[in-house]
Amino acid sequence: MNLTDPFNRRLSYLRLSVTDLCNYRCNYCLPNGYQGKAKPDELTLPEIETLAAVFAQNGTRKIRITGGEPTLRRDLPDIIAACRAQPEIQHIALTTNAFKLGKLFPQYRAAGLDKLNVSIDSFNPETFFKITGKQECRHILNDLENILAEGFNNVKINTLLLREHIAETLPDAIRFVKTRPVTLRFIELMQTGDNLNFFNAQHISAATIEQDLIAQGWQLQPRGEHAGPAREYYHRDFAGGIGFIAPYSKDFCNTCNRLRITSQGKMHLCLFGGVSYDLRDFLRRGDREGLTEFLHETMRLKPEHHYLHNKKVGLITNLSMTGG
């Protein structure tokens, strides 16, 4: 029986965080870097196996593995394989900052990964360093080119939309997708519990940029089944596409199909909701029947929409907590 909410939305897309740990110090998320070591109570592989099996049997068709930075977990290939072992799961995606991706990606692909999202906030190494605190831009772009050359084309790039850098990042993005079969999605900066000043200085709406692209001949693609919230555009003269994830836009939540699990096993019905639901006891016991019953009961509580417009950001202190 598929998980559905009171608004008849089928919840077929699970975002699973496997660690809070991150090795970057992005100015919009963890400007001082991650403090301390990875939490000792991250979900174990057996717990993730139980989680993946139950969600698959209840309508999940796409699992996105996130962090923090998920590639910092050494058992990530085993996690991917555990998700791939569920015959109902159609797609397994990974969102990563691509640190050491060239070395690690063959393991992930062999384990069953079929979609890859790489966070690249600028193609300019100096701007990339200013945003992320890392000198990895050239390495990441080189690894990405090699992955594309190997025929893996289910690649998307995530770029945060920042007022300070948009005059540079937008033309760079358009040039990049001209000859490469990737979609670059600009993500609107979202307010969290600890970034109010940064948000007020750097937030910019995607709406004007979208209108400019439409005027230049870009056309909106139909939204795919089990897809996320991005509006993606294509142009007949470009190999790739440009997309936007705009949580402040009208009707953003109407087609929400997502649930989120933190690396400690807490479920968020909405990224910016004020309540989380602890699944850990079910997972520790391997109680698939009990978890199934709990999920169907809890779906009745999923809100119709978030309250970002009212400055209500819920439990999310920073985006590394749930991988966005």
Side-chain angles (χ1 to χ4, degrees):
M1 184 176 175
N2 295 331
L3 294 175
T4 57
D5 69 9
F7 310 98
N8 203 33
R9 296 176 298 198
R10 180 185 169 190
L11 304 168
S12 62
Y13 178 7
L14 177 66
R15 297 182 61 104
L16 172 62
S17 173
V18 295
T19 184
D20 287 353
L21 187 64
C22 187
N23 56 342
Y24 274 35
R25 48 179 68 239
C26 298
N27 58 8
Y28 53 83
C29 184
L30 295 172
N32 298 316
Y34 187 90
Q35 302 300 305
K37 298 180 180 180
K39 293 184 174 66
D41 58 345
E42 291 176 343
L43 290 172
T44 66
L45 184 59
E47 289 172 336
I48 291 172
E49 290 171 342
T50 297
L51 183 75
V54 170
F55 274 86
Q57 292 161 11
N58 287 275
T60 295
R61 296 297 174 260
K62 177 180 178 181
I63 297 179
R64 176 171 299 284
I65 299 171
T66 71
E69 175 45 45
T71 64
L72 296 179
R73 276 196 64 154
R74 294 182 179 180
D75 61 349
L76 183 55
D78 297 323
I79 293 172
I80 294 170
C83 296
R84 178 52 68 200
Q86 310 307 318
E88 299 91 347
I89 299 300
Q90 298 173 10
H91 298 293
I92 301 171
L94 175 69
T95 294
T96 173
N97 64 27
F99 184 79
K100 295 185 178 179
L101 184 64
K103 176 182 177 181
L104 299 171
F105 181 72
Q107 302 172 45
Y108 304 154
R109 189 175 185 180
L113 187 75
D114 64 295
K115 290 181 178 292
L116 178 67
N117 284 37
V118 178
S119 298
I120 305 177
D121 287 315
S122 174
F123 296 120
N124 180 322
E126 292 182 5
T127 305
F128 184 95
F129 176 74
K130 184 176 182 180
I131 296 172
T132 68
K134 291 290 182 177
Q135 300 277 12
E136 297 295 325
C137 185
R138 290 186 178 90
H139 297 145
I140 291 169
L141 292 175
N142 183 65
D143 289 344
L144 185 57
E145 296 284 15
N146 290 336
I147 288 170
L148 292 171
E150 292 169 3
F152 189 92
N153 290 329
N154 288 331
V155 177
K156 294 184 179 179
I157 295 173
N158 294 336
T159 299
L160 195 68
L161 199 57
L162 296 173
R163 181 182 300 277
E164 180 181 1
H165 303 298
I166 187 60
E168 172 188 278
T169 53
L170 180 58
D172 283 353
I174 291 175
R175 279 192 295 269
F176 190 84
V177 303
K178 177 72 174 180
T179 58
R180 298 170 180 87
V182 303
T183 298
L184 187 147
R185 292 106 54 84
F186 284 104
I187 303 174
E188 275 188 355
L189 179 65
M190 292 172 277
Q191 184 183 339
T192 59
D194 63 358
N195 76 346
L196 178 59
N197 291 336
F198 188 90
F199 174 84
N200 287 337
Q202 294 290 355
H203 179 263
I204 181 173
S205 171
T208 301
I209 302 171
E210 285 189 67
Q211 291 305 312
D212 288 345
L213 287 180
I214 292 170
Q216 296 167 26
W218 291 79
Q219 299 181 40
L220 185 64
Q221 284 185 326
R223 186 171 176 269
E225 188 179 22
H226 317 306
R231 294 193 298 269
E232 297 184 353
Y233 292 83
Y234 69 96
H235 193 293
R236 63 183 183 181
D237 297 330
F238 286 73
I242 297 287
F244 298 90
I245 299 176
Y248 292 89
S249 63
K250 181 182 178 182
D251 301 330
F252 178 78
C253 299
N254 285 3
T255 57
C256 183
N257 58 354
R258 297 172 300 291
L259 296 167
R260 290 173 170 83
I261 308 291
T262 71
S263 57
Q264 284 74 45
K266 291 182 170 58
M267 179 172 65
H268 290 249
L269 300 179
C270 172
L271 174 59
F272 293 100
V275 180
S276 65
Y277 301 87
D278 197 345
L279 310 183
R280 204 64 185 268
D281 284 346
F282 298 109
L283 299 176
R284 284 176 175 151
R285 298 195 306 266
D287 183 2
R288 298 187 180 192
E289 185 175 330
L291 179 55
T292 297
E293 183 178 349
F294 180 78
L295 290 177
H296 283 281
E297 290 176 355
T298 308
M299 290 311 106
R300 303 171 187 171
L301 305 175
K302 184 170 170 66
E304 185 175 10
H305 51 75
H306 61 59
Y307 292 92
L308 284 177
H309 296 93
N310 299 330
K311 303 293 184 181
K312 295 181 179 180
V313 299
L315 301 175
I316 302 303
T317 303
N318 58 70
L319 293 175
S320 73
M321 293 174 61
T322 62

